[in-house]
Amino acid sequence: YFQIFDSLIRKVNETIFKGDGDTGREGSPLSIGVLDIYGFELFEVNSFEQLCINYANEKLQYFFNSVIFQGEMQMYESEGISCDQIVFQDNQPCLDLIEKKSYGILSKLDEELIVPNGSDAKFCEKCHNSFKEHDFYSTNIQNKNDFVIRHFAGKVSYRSDGFMEKNKDTLAVTLTNALEASNNKFVSEIFTYAKKAIAATASPSKKGGASKPTIAKR
């Protein structure tokens, strides 16, 4: 499903954008915008799946803030239109906490996969030590293996048990190779494209090859 969705997006982009010379009737580049709200999740016990979904929602909220609030205000100012300042919560610090390279929670999760004797508990402990002063992070006094993120929609406590194993839960190389070699042209194309895209963004390992992709890296 992931590869088919990506393929659909590529086809739409290729169809509606042909370069700077392709413009609409009003002289602006042809474009289409789709805002897909995943749905914020908050359960009694929240795991890696909920972190991924809520992270996606944080990205969508940031996009919404940028387009609706910041973008509109800048347009009014450029056209000399007076308007009341809209106060909204900037969730960029929360995004940095989760995604910032070599700093965020997802980076620390990937790091824990390559250190000797890495574990979910040690990953959580490192997060506690690194982010104890962060405004969008806190600990759960009821469980030392939980960490709390203050999302735009509210606080969520995540249970770190199983994070490392779930982060490694990508398709086996033998399976993706088989799909890439499929006699079905469409299946072969989408997995060949995906393989090239992953190879282009993969970070090199210490032995000189590309490190194994994880959910966090994607």
Side-chain angles (χ1 to χ4, degrees), residues 159-180:
R159 182 69 46 82
S160 65
D161 299 343
F163 262 49
M164 291 180 62
E165 191 63 32
K166 291 175 180 178
N167 189 33
K168 296 186 294 183
D169 190 22
T170 54
L171 288 178
V173 174
T174 51
L175 178 56
T176 55
N177 287 344
L179 290 165
E180 187 181 349

Side-chain angles (χ1 to χ4, degrees), residues 72-141:
E72 289 295 313
M73 294 294 290
Q74 289 173 359
M75 183 181 69
Y76 289 161
E77 290 175 3
S78 67
E79 296 181 359
I81 301 174
S82 61
C83 60
D84 295 332
Q85 289 293 324
I86 302 173
V87 179
F88 61 94
Q89 178 180 318
D90 182 10
N91 67 333
Q92 182 63 61
C94 184
L95 286 174
D96 289 343
L97 170 66
I98 299 171
E99 70 176 5
K100 192 171 183 180
K101 189 174 181 181
S102 303
Y103 167 81
I105 290 172
L106 295 179
S107 287
K108 295 197 180 304
L109 182 59
D110 277 341
E111 289 171 5
E112 197 63 22
L113 287 173
I114 60 176
V115 299
N117 302 315
S119 68
D120 296 320
K122 290 179 180 178
F123 153 70
C124 194
E125 183 180 1
K126 290 177 181 177
C127 287
H128 290 342
N129 293 333
S130 298
F131 306 123
K132 57 186 177 183
E133 303 297 333
H134 200 287
D135 291 338
F136 286 76
Y137 183 96
S138 59
T139 58
N140 186 339
I141 59 175

